[in-house]
Amino acid sequence: MGGFFPLDFTNFPSNASESLLALSCDLDPRLISMFSQEEYGLDYFRDQGFHRKKCECCGKFFWTRNEARKTCGDPPCDPYTFIGNPVFSKEHGLDEMREHYLSFFEGRGHTRIPRYPVVARWRDDIYLTIASIADFQPFVTSGLVPPPANPLTISQPCIRLDDLDSVGRSGRHLTTFEMMAHHVFNTRQKEIYWKDSTVQLCDELLMGLGMDPMAVTYKESPWAGGGNAGPSVEVMIGGLELATLVFMDLKATPTGTIEIKGERYSKMDNYIVDTGYGLERFVWASKGSPTIYDAIFPDLVRKVADLSDVEHDLSNSEYAEIFAQNARLAGMVDVDAYSMKELRTMIAARLGISYEKLEEAIAPMERVYAVVDHTRCLAYMLGDGIIPSNIKAGYLARLVIRRTLRIMKELGLKPSLEGLVREQISRLDYPDWQERMETISVILAQEEEKYAETLDKGMRLVRKTAQSYGKKGQAFPLTEIISLYDTHGIPPEMSKDAAEEAGVKVELPDNFYSLVAKTHIKAQKEEEAAPQVILEGKTELSFYDHPFDESFKAEVRDIIGNSVILDKTLFYPEGGGQPADHGILEKGGLTFKVVDVQRIGDVVLHAMDGDGAKAFQKGDHVAGHIDMRRRLAHARHHTATHLVHDSAKRVLGKHIWQAGAQKTETRARLDISHYKRITDYELRAIEMEANRRVMDMIPVNTKFMPRTEAEKVFGFELYQGGVPPGKQIRVVKVGSDIEACAGTHVTNTGMIGTIKILRTERVQDGVERLEFAAGEAAVRAVQEREGLLIESSDILRVPMDRLPKTANRFFEEWKGQQKEIERLKEDLAKTQAKSLVSEAVAIDDLKVIAKRMGVADIDELIKVASLLAEMDYVALLGSESGKLVAAVGKTGLEKGIKAGNVIKAASKLLGGGGGGKPELAQGGGPKSEMLEEALKAGVDVIRTGL
Ligand SMILES: [Zn+2]
Ligand SMILES: [Zn+2]
């Protein structure tokens, strides 16, 4: 096994920019030269006898103990050599390797901290956790809040869907991986450790695993991204990048003295050791298996292969070599730059086998690998509480679900997706996930069902779309395939099949899913409604300390437009789904209405009614009075929202997450993530639970806390309403509900009085809306509903408790009577038709009836005329109100008489129009006094038509 690559890969687009750490990018040579010997010339390298060398292949600098070494160790300069030739002395599984890593750093003064969820609840810019440093952005890395521990070590599960389509194919790509890391947050006042210790710790870790000290290279690789930059080294062994060590010490600032790519940088006061060690790659390197998948979950790969009837025998060296060569080649080149076919052709040539034989061996296993990887990804996504939907992280979960289902179908894999995810969950040591498995089962079964429905419905739509491109002689564009997926959930493979069926050219890229995922990975920043001006000064917010004070005294600081700025205020500015307070400002005995209150930065603007602000001047002493009825109504609805949310969680499950909320004086609404419609039974249970919390008279506790501490104590569940900015966050605790919230609340749930849920609505797939009223508004809502009952029982003249029965009886009777009326109308029409027969006149051999039908309605005219046509008459019937219907029987139709023409001529005389089919038409006009003439005109058309 093994075998060195004789091919020269130096001219292939390489994967060199693909780094373990996120946000890395190709850099300007100026930056590279700036991060020179002085940045990398570490004492540790010198003491250990490292040499700094320039790669003969790519020209980049690297550090090695091996003086004879000529290349940097990074593909394509060096190929994978670890396959079949492990770089560590002992094989390790995932759990073993993770534990080894974490205890290594724990033993060297680092605090081990628990992993963060894969859904980045503490971020508003990304949905999924993509790197361990993401856990600490933006507030810890910016220096605003302290880290949870310092230095720390963590193994953070990360999900990246950028290379979704390469998973399984390249032998190394994964959607889900654990980034093991040690992080240090240094300040100029207190440095914990920096480059030397970082490299030393890494080197010792690797040697402890039995690495040959001569084998490792540390490749200089300056890093920049997301407004930060710094020197970094990639840690290469056997052609595999095992880790990246970044020394983040620059930030982009307009006044910076270091220029990189037109952007100015300066040294940061807080400088960070940001490392990333790929757990799965460590395991792979320890085993040297042909693919990473065979290294990290060999038993699951075997199981899925067996279930799919795919032979997978790595002890057969010829067979194993196919996968090894595939992984080596994919390791050397940028897989995105080639089609699958091109890559396969290269590998087949290397192995000296036919393309078909290669395809036969490799294609089914690629699917097996992808299924194993994707179900692990889903275990993390659903275990951490993502609900599949069409938005945000839910969109990404559904994308992975559908791709997995598609691949399972291609494999003919029998067991359900749910079974495979359950298997993955049972292997991961997160006790609360077992508890969630019931919910996850329901979600997955439902997603499978929805997908099947989509395929059923989608086929017709996609065929129609394909045909319309075919008619225009155009190719089926990629944008259309993406839109069919996005809007209708139609998988791209299906669009491709339909296009080919319709003979339409189609270009489906190998990386379709990655392309789609990429457009949904980053959160769209919501447009800010408030004007982007910066106001000087600060208004003290007194309402937090004195939530029920009605009046206050303050000094006018400024007037901007029609708004007054005070030094302090009791007025709550609009925010967090809670509207602004209203009230009055009083000056010298005169009062002026406050109609809106907004906060910009630290300043509160009191918008005055009319041109009220003109009455105020800087330095005025004023009194403010809050409309307490309005404030209290808001506070009741706000606290009630927290209670309803908490109750929904109790009733529906822990996966409930707030997707939006809005409060007014009379109503509140709460949007929650949920995978199905809320039933009436559940709704009543939620309402009862919420009201029990009211009756329990639970005190509402609010407290400003340091962010890190609050997160540590309460978890990210805090961020139901979004992630507030700042060092301190306000934590509102109502019983078991704990949220970061800036709103005004009642002090005890008893003050809410009552909560009445009024309705639910599916706002979109995966999001349910609850609309409810609290306090007086709830009583009023109940009264309104009761009013409807009273009114109804008055109308029906029965007591309220008999309303349903009575309404039902009336409805049934009414339905019976409707049927009876229909039947009588039929009878009547038949009788009328029969009686009209005697009035027919013969025109040639055609029997024609033209007749005034009194006050008959249009339905009656149509019925009678149609019956006459059935009996082979030509009928033209008119009502006194000016409506006309013509019907032509078999003979008339044969002779070319058209009911439409008859109606047109007749209606014209009535000053109107009409039309229809040859056998039946209708029309009429306002001049009903001309009915007789109109009928004659109709008959004339029949006569001249013959
Ligand atoms: Zn190189
Ligand atoms: Zn709140």
Side-chain angles (χ1 to χ4, degrees):
M1 196 149 130
F4 186 71
F5 251 94
L7 280 177
D8 176 16
F9 283 105
T10 43
N11 293 323
F12 289 129
S14 82
N15 72 350
S17 67
E18 180 190 301
S19 166
L20 268 175
L21 288 176
L23 307 170
S24 73
C25 64
D26 284 331
L27 286 178
D28 188 86
R30 271 174 297 177
L31 179 58
I32 296 167
S33 63
M34 185 204 75
F35 293 144
S36 57
Q37 174 104 28
E38 62 186 272
E39 290 282 2
Y40 294 100
L42 308 180
D43 291 346
Y44 180 75
F45 282 147
R46 206 186 46 231
D47 297 348
Q48 287 284 316
F50 274 86
H51 308 272
R52 185 178 198 240
K53 310 208 62 162
K54 187 171 180 167
C55 177
E56 288 188 354
C57 190
C58 65
K60 289 183 182 155
F61 287 99
F62 64 96
W63 295 80
T64 174
R65 288 186 174 93
N66 179 358
E67 206 177 351
R69 193 173 179 103
K70 294 185 162 62
T71 47
C72 64
D74 197 5
C77 308
D78 287 276
Y80 282 1
T81 55
F82 68 96
I83 296 180
N85 181 24
V87 300
F88 300 138
S89 56
K90 182 173 163 289
E91 287 193 1
H92 283 71
L94 287 172
D95 292 339
E96 226 181 328
M97 187 63 90
R98 182 193 305 112
E99 187 49 42
H100 181 93
Y101 181 93
L102 294 172
S103 46
F104 173 89
F105 283 96
E106 225 171 12
R108 284 156 185 81
H110 296 67
T111 306
R112 182 196 296 221
I113 66 163
R115 75 165 181 103
Y116 283 43
V118 296
V119 46
R121 305 282 196 197
W122 61 96
R123 299 279 296 263
D124 58 6
D125 51 347
I126 50 172
Y127 302 128
L128 299 173
T129 308
I130 50 168
S132 60
I133 195 71
D135 297 350
F136 312 106
Q137 289 166 324
F139 302 112
V140 174
T141 50
S142 72
L144 187 70
V145 308
N150 202 8
L152 61 82
T153 184
I154 187 171
S155 187
Q156 177 59 46
C158 302
I159 296 180
R160 292 189 197 168
L161 303 180
D162 311 56
D163 296 311
L164 196 51
D165 302 273
S166 297
V167 174
R169 288 178 184 169
S170 67
R172 76 167 186 284
H173 280 96
L174 298 165
T175 54
T176 315
F177 64 97
E178 276 186 51
M179 188 181 279
M180 304 184 292
H182 53 115
H183 292 296
V184 185
F185 304 91
N186 294 306
T187 61
R188 298 285 162 209
Q189 294 75 43
K190 191 182 176 202
E191 181 176 295
I192 293 168
Y193 66 77
W194 191 228
K195 296 175 197 169
D196 273 290
S197 298
T198 304
V199 173
Q200 182 176 351
L201 284 164
C202 175
D203 213 42
E204 282 174 8
L205 172 83
L206 294 172
M207 288 197 282
L209 285 164
M211 164 199 76
D212 168 10
M214 300 295 273
V216 67
T217 55
Y218 293 91
K219 184 186 171 196
E220 297 179 10
S221 172
W223 175 93
N228 290 110
S232 122
V233 289
E234 286 173 8
V235 186
M236 311 295 314
I237 310 178
L240 191 63
E241 184 195 344
L242 282 176
T244 308
L245 314 173
V246 173
F247 305 101
M248 203 197 286
D249 66 348
L250 294 175
K251 64 166 182 230
T253 41
T255 53
T257 51
I258 303 159
E259 198 185 312
I260 305 163
K261 279 190 167 180
E263 204 124 29
R264 290 183 162 274
Y265 287 85
S266 60
K267 290 264 176 192
M268 291 197 284
D269 285 338
N270 52 316
Y271 49 108
I272 298 163
V273 175
D274 173 18
T275 63
Y277 296 67
L279 169 62
E280 290 78 4
R281 290 187 180 195
F282 267 73
V283 170
W284 192 14
S286 84
K287 295 189 177 177
S289 346
T291 73
I292 199 167
Y293 322 106
D294 291 299
I296 61 176
F297 19 58
D299 49 340
L300 261 182
V301 166
R302 161 127 325 279
K303 189 169 176 181
V304 174
D306 286 349
L307 288 167
S308 318
D309 280 330
V310 176
E311 187 111 17
H312 187 56
D313 180 13
L314 289 176
S315 64
N316 174 342
S317 62
E318 205 181 311
Y319 174 80
E321 185 57 16
I322 292 177
F323 290 92
Q325 285 290 22
N326 183 56
R328 286 190 201 112
L329 181 81
M332 299 290 273
V333 302
D334 174 5
V335 280
D336 281 346
Y338 297 93
S339 71
M340 276 331 287
K341 193 153 187 185
E342 287 168 324
L343 285 175
R344 293 274 161 78
T345 309
M346 285 190 246
I347 298 160
R350 265 298 301 131
L351 290 163
I353 59 173
S354 72
Y355 177 85
E356 287 70 28
K357 184 163 181 218
L358 176 73
E359 179 77 14
E360 196 187 295
I362 219 165
M365 273 317 291
E366 285 178 354
R367 298 191 177 109
V368 170
Y369 292 145
V371 166
V372 178
D373 166 89
H374 288 12
T375 48
R376 180 173 178 236
C377 179
L378 290 172
Y380 271 102
M381 283 178 150
L382 303 175
D384 277 355
I386 300 178
I387 302 296
S389 71
N390 295 327
I391 51 160
K392 301 181 180 176
Y395 178 96
L396 298 170
R398 182 165 283 167
L399 182 83
V400 176
I401 289 173
R402 298 203 157 174
R403 187 166 195 272
T404 315
L405 288 170
R406 174 82 198 181
I407 299 171
M408 286 173 68
K409 201 177 159 202
E410 286 168 353
L411 271 174
L413 195 54
K414 283 284 158 342
S416 64
L417 177 58
E418 186 260 347
L420 294 173
V421 173
R422 187 184 285 272
E423 174 101 35
Q424 293 280 13
I425 285 184
S426 73
R427 280 152 190 268
L428 291 159
D429 188 22
Y430 305 120
D432 57 323
W433 281 12
Q434 304 292 345
E435 214 179 290
R436 284 191 176 189
M437 196 54 226
E438 286 325 300
T439 308
I440 294 172
S441 289
V442 179
I443 291 174
L444 285 172
Q446 214 172 272
E447 285 296 308
E448 241 175 293
E449 221 169 273
K450 270 188 200 161
Y451 183 62
E453 275 169 33
T454 303
L455 294 187
D456 275 357
K457 281 192 227 147
M459 201 59 208
R460 251 185 42 220
L461 174 67
V462 77
R463 277 204 184 115
K464 230 175 85 190
T465 316
Q467 279 159 6
S468 82
Y469 281 105
K471 272 182 204 150
K472 287 184 266 176
Q474 291 170 346
F476 204 122
L478 178 60
T479 48
E480 185 72 62
I481 298 180
I482 292 177
S483 127
L484 281 168
Y485 176 80
D486 262 358
T487 334
H488 303 283
I490 294 169
E493 296 85 357
M494 192 162 146
S495 296
K496 188 175 181 243
D497 290 348
E500 278 164 2
E501 214 175 86
V504 178
K505 230 184 116 203
V506 64
E507 266 169 49
L508 184 62
D510 290 329
N511 61 343
F512 176 86
Y513 287 97
S514 318
L515 288 174
V516 173
K518 269 179 200 162
T519 61
H520 288 267
I521 283 169
K522 281 203 175 135
Q524 300 287 330
K525 283 260 175 192
E526 275 166 39
E527 290 286 324
E528 277 205 25
Q532 284 304 297
V533 288
I534 297 159
L535 297 173
E536 292 284 316
K538 184 174 176 153
T539 311
E540 195 188 309
L541 307 174
S542 315
F543 47 80
Y544 285 134
D545 290 333
H546 310 281
F548 296 104
D549 281 6
E550 202 172 335
S551 302
F552 65 104
K553 289 201 162 31
E555 193 185 310
V556 175
R557 279 285 153 85
D558 207 349
I559 292 114
I560 292 183
N562 198 38
S563 293
V564 176
I565 297 171
L566 305 172
D567 60 341
K568 57 174 173 289
T569 189
L570 278 180
F571 282 91
Y572 179 79
E574 184 181 352
Q578 184 180 328
D581 279 342
H582 289 174
I584 50 176
L585 287 184
E586 191 186 332
K587 181 194 163 189
L590 294 171
T591 59
F592 303 88
K593 268 193 199 160
V594 177
V595 291
D596 189 23
V597 186
Q598 296 291 333
R599 181 174 173 175
I600 297 176
D602 287 331
V603 174
V604 175
L605 294 165
H606 303 77
M608 308 304 296
D609 191 24
D611 54 3
K614 282 194 182 145
F616 296 88
Q617 281 179 332
K618 240 184 228 187
D620 278 353
H621 288 271
V622 299
H625 307 281
I626 311 296
D627 175 351
M628 283 311 274
R629 181 186 275 271
R630 180 178 160 93
R631 155 72 72 77
L632 251 173
H634 290 160
R636 286 194 171 106
H637 280 105
H638 199 142
T639 310
T641 305
H642 287 220
L643 288 182
V644 170
H645 175 259
D646 188 46
S647 304
K649 229 185 212 172
R650 285 163 197 262
V651 173
L652 303 173
K654 282 184 182 161
H655 61 279
I656 294 302
W657 197 272
Q658 180 174 317
Q662 183 64 46
K663 301 101 194 171
T664 70
E665 269 183 279
T666 54
R667 292 283 184 274
R669 63 174 163 77
L670 171 70
D671 295 345
I672 51 173
S673 58
H674 188 43
Y675 50 90
K676 56 178 190 193
R677 291 301 330 256
I678 296 173
T679 64
D680 287 346
Y681 176 80
E682 288 165 340
L683 193 67
R684 278 189 209 126
I686 294 169
E687 187 177 80
M688 188 56 84
E689 279 291 316
N691 278 290
R692 282 192 184 127
R693 303 288 165 277
V694 172
M695 291 179 268
D696 286 348
M697 309 248 289
I698 302 164
V700 177
N701 293 312
T702 59
K703 188 171 156 192
F704 281 93
M705 281 177 86
R707 177 181 296 274
T708 308
E709 193 193 326
E711 286 177 358
K712 236 190 239 176
V713 178
F714 303 117
F716 301 113
E717 306 254 308
L718 273 176
Y719 299 137
Q720 296 287 340
V723 187
K727 200 170 176 167
Q728 300 268 320
I729 54 177
R730 183 165 176 263
V731 176
V732 175
K733 183 174 182 302
V734 193
S736 54
D737 184 81
I738 299 154
E739 295 180 36
C741 174
T744 57
H745 286 266
V746 296
T747 48
N748 186 297
T749 58
M751 286 172 73
I752 296 171
T754 182
I755 297 171
K756 177 70 200 157
I757 301 185
L758 301 168
R759 58 195 285 259
T760 66
E761 190 189 341
R762 191 119 184 110
V763 230
Q764 55 179 302
D765 193 24
V767 183
E768 287 280 297
R769 172 167 295 171
L770 293 160
E771 202 177 294
F772 51 94
E776 274 187 33
V779 176
R780 229 170 267 130
V782 172
Q783 286 171 345
E784 267 167 39
R785 290 196 169 184
E786 199 188 13
L788 297 176
L789 290 177
I790 292 169
E791 208 181 320
S792 306
S793 66
D794 276 356
I795 293 169
L796 297 176
R797 298 199 191 97
V798 293
M800 244 187 261
D801 57 351
R802 275 173 52 200
L803 269 178
K805 239 187 190 157
T806 310
N808 193 46
R809 202 189 75 218
F810 277 158
F811 183 64
E812 289 303 324
E813 279 177 17
W814 173 82
K815 274 201 298 194
Q817 283 165 358
Q818 278 306 58
K819 265 191 202 150
E820 185 62 14
I821 289 168
E822 279 306 308
R823 198 182 61 73
L824 290 172
K825 274 186 175 169
E826 291 289 331
D827 284 356
L828 182 66
K830 274 180 200 156
T831 315
Q832 279 179 314
K834 267 183 208 153
S835 74
L836 286 175
V837 164
S838 61
E839 298 185 33
V841 288
I843 301 175
D844 289 358
D845 49 355
L846 207 60
K847 294 172 286 180
V848 178
I849 297 167
K851 182 72 183 165
R852 300 173 73 124
M853 296 289 290
V855 294
D857 63 16
I858 193 86
D859 282 346
E860 203 178 330
L861 295 182
I862 289 172
K863 269 198 181 111
V864 177
S866 302
L867 283 167
L868 288 168
E870 264 171 44
M871 292 185 276
D872 206 20
Y873 292 86
V874 175
L876 173 59
L877 307 178
S879 73
E880 299 306 329
S881 59
K883 296 207 166 56
L884 292 168
V885 170
V888 181
K890 191 166 160 270
T891 315
L893 288 171
E894 278 165 12
K895 290 179 182 292
I897 305 295
K898 289 193 171 74
N901 293 346
V902 176
I903 283 295
K904 266 182 208 140
S907 300
K908 204 173 171 190
L909 275 155
L910 296 183
K917 295 175 185 162
E919 62 272 19
L920 183 71
Q922 55 176 299
K927 294 194 218 157
S928 54
E929 69 280 5
M930 298 288 286
L931 188 58
E932 200 61 46
E933 288 79 357
L935 293 176
K936 277 199 187 105
V939 174
D940 284 345
V941 169
I942 297 166
R943 187 172 289 122
T944 50
L946 286 170

